[in-house]
Amino acid sequence: MAKTQVQEYRVSKYALSFRENFGKANIYEQNALSVLNKATGFISAYDFTLNPYRGCQYGCSYCYAAAFSPNSQMRNNWGNWVIIKKNAAEIIKKELEIWYKKNPDMSPSIYMSSVTDPYQPIESKEQITRQLLEIMLDYQPTLVIQTRSPMIVRDIDILQNYKKLRINMSIPTGSEKVRKDFEPKSPSISARLKAIGNLRYSFPYQKNCEVKFSVTITPLLPTLPEDEANFIGKLEVVDRIVIQDFHASNLRSLVASTRSEALSLKHKYAWWYNRENESYRNFKNKLIAMLPSVEIMEGKEGFGYE
């Protein structure tokens, strides 16, 4: 039944090409007209965003990216579909060539990804992200990779050759119980912590290279009191931690907002959300006190490369 429903999806006037089921997600493919899109809004500090896929199998309850689904039907079915940009590698090479013809002495800054996870499960098969990394390596952009997936360690061999790179690992909570409520299809907290640790210690010192590592606790979800100290202690491996509360709620399309699924979960954690501002402030203060050598940043500022 799910397969039939998905085959009816349309983007603009064109029907999507359904290809297969991967896990519980329905997979389509399309040729993209472009893959480097002008960065705006929250990540306007960059020249471009780069999203190898549309949609995301993780389908986190709070994910603002659902607002940018091709249509309302797909927005409501967020997490159950992915569109593969099958020509992404070919297109990005052309777009980077155009950039350097116009800007021969300036490398672009690229944020990967703003509305998908470049290392969601389908990447293990398609390797679109890996192909893009291999091509971009020849052009050496300033690159920020945002993911919640330990799969990123697969590409250490390529990432080690970038000169200006920041890797952001998304870990919104330090409690597995909370993770399973808000993002049940995402990797475990321990797997993510292990991955960012492995990455941090896998980059040999190279002159004129700047490789940086962040944990983004965005949105800041509750961490159970009994888990706080252990979780915060394990964050000392990175040079930056970014915290941020939920996006404002908004039912309009094309507006980043917190989904109703996450808002309903707030009631389960009333002990945190009934005093949300105080809970946020207390957690931030604990980060500062326990991690004196780590930069603690908030909101938009924390997502910059520097």
Side-chain angles (χ1 to χ4, degrees), residues 56-63 78-80 182-186 259:
C56 184
Q57 289 167 274
Y58 292 136
C60 300
S61 63
Y62 49 79
C63 187
W78 181 254
N80 296 316
F182 282 92
E183 44 174 66
K185 294 192 285 187
S186 69
R259 299 166 64 214

Side-chain angles (χ1 to χ4, degrees), residues 35-36 47-48 50 88-104 106-110 131-142 162:
V35 292
L36 291 179
D47 293 305
F48 300 110
L50 171 57
E90 174 187 348
I91 293 295
I92 197 172
K93 188 170 183 178
K94 293 178 181 178
E95 291 181 320
L96 288 171
E97 290 290 345
I98 291 171
W99 167 272
Y100 278 103
K101 285 181 180 178
K102 295 180 179 179
N103 308 278
M106 183 173 65
S107 298
S109 56
I110 299 174
Q131 293 171 32
L132 292 170
L133 289 173
E134 289 176 325
I135 290 169
M136 287 191 290
L137 192 57
D138 291 335
Y139 298 88
Q140 286 295 340
T142 297
Y162 275 84

Side-chain angles (χ1 to χ4, degrees), residues 4 12-13 21 24 28 43-44 54 58 73 75 172-173 175 205 251 273 287 304:
T4 302
S12 186
K13 62 181 179 179
N21 297 110
K24 294 183 179 180
Y28 311 91
I43 50 175
S44 58
R54 293 190 76 175
Y58 292 136
Q73 185 185 9
R75 179 179 182 175
T173 174
S175 297
Y205 171 77
L251 296 179
Y273 288 111
L287 290 173

Side-chain angles (χ1 to χ4, degrees), residues 119 130 133 137 140 143 145 152-165 167 198-211 213:
Y119 287 100
R130 184 172 176 87
L133 289 173
L137 192 57
Q140 286 295 340
L143 179 64
I145 301 175
I152 189 174
V153 301
R154 178 201 67 187
D155 293 337
I156 285 176
D157 61 322
I158 302 175
L159 297 172
Q160 285 175 331
N161 295 297
Y162 275 84
K163 298 186 184 306
K164 297 193 73 174
L165 173 70
I167 297 173
N198 286 343
L199 289 163
R200 171 66 178 79
Y201 294 113
S202 295
F203 286 76
Y205 171 77
Q206 298 182 67
K207 190 176 181 180
N208 300 322
C209 290
E210 296 180 358
V211 182
F213 302 89

